[in-house]
Amino acid sequence: MVKINLLAILEEEGITQSRLAELTGIRPATIHEMCRGTCERINLKHLKKICDTIGVCAEHILHYDPYEEQDENE
């Protein structure tokens, strides 16, 4: 299962979802979906913008655990 750790990173950095949207030009709804982990796919250009803006690597935002199963409702 792939998890998105964006919300935790933003909280650590003291950046709001709204501020990240302003800084990156990404729709607030898209940022919100990523933070909640409800997005079905991630635009690689968006991921790069986020990484560049908050100064982290994609590996910090995305976490893959091959042993954790995805919720059946997802």
Side-chain angles (χ1 to χ4, degrees), residues 4-72:
I4 303 171
N5 299 318
L6 183 57
L7 183 59
I9 293 169
L10 291 178
E11 289 174 350
E12 287 175 14
E13 297 296 323
I15 301 172
T16 65
Q17 293 179 42
S18 299
R19 182 67 180 143
L20 182 62
E22 290 172 11
L23 293 170
T24 60
I26 299 170
R27 291 180 326 115
T30 301
I31 298 290
H32 181 70
E33 288 175 356
M34 290 178 74
C35 286
R36 290 186 60 216
T38 59
C39 61
E40 293 184 13
R41 55 185 72 81
I42 296 176
N43 181 312
L44 294 178
K45 289 180 183 179
H46 289 175
L47 184 59
K48 181 184 180 326
K49 285 182 182 181
I50 292 168
C51 290
D52 291 345
T53 299
I54 59 178
V56 299
C57 296
E59 293 85 13
H60 290 105
I61 296 174
L62 302 175
H63 173 73
Y64 173 66
D65 183 348
Y67 301 106
E68 187 174 335
E69 294 190 23
Q70 189 162 350
D71 187 351
E72 293 179 13

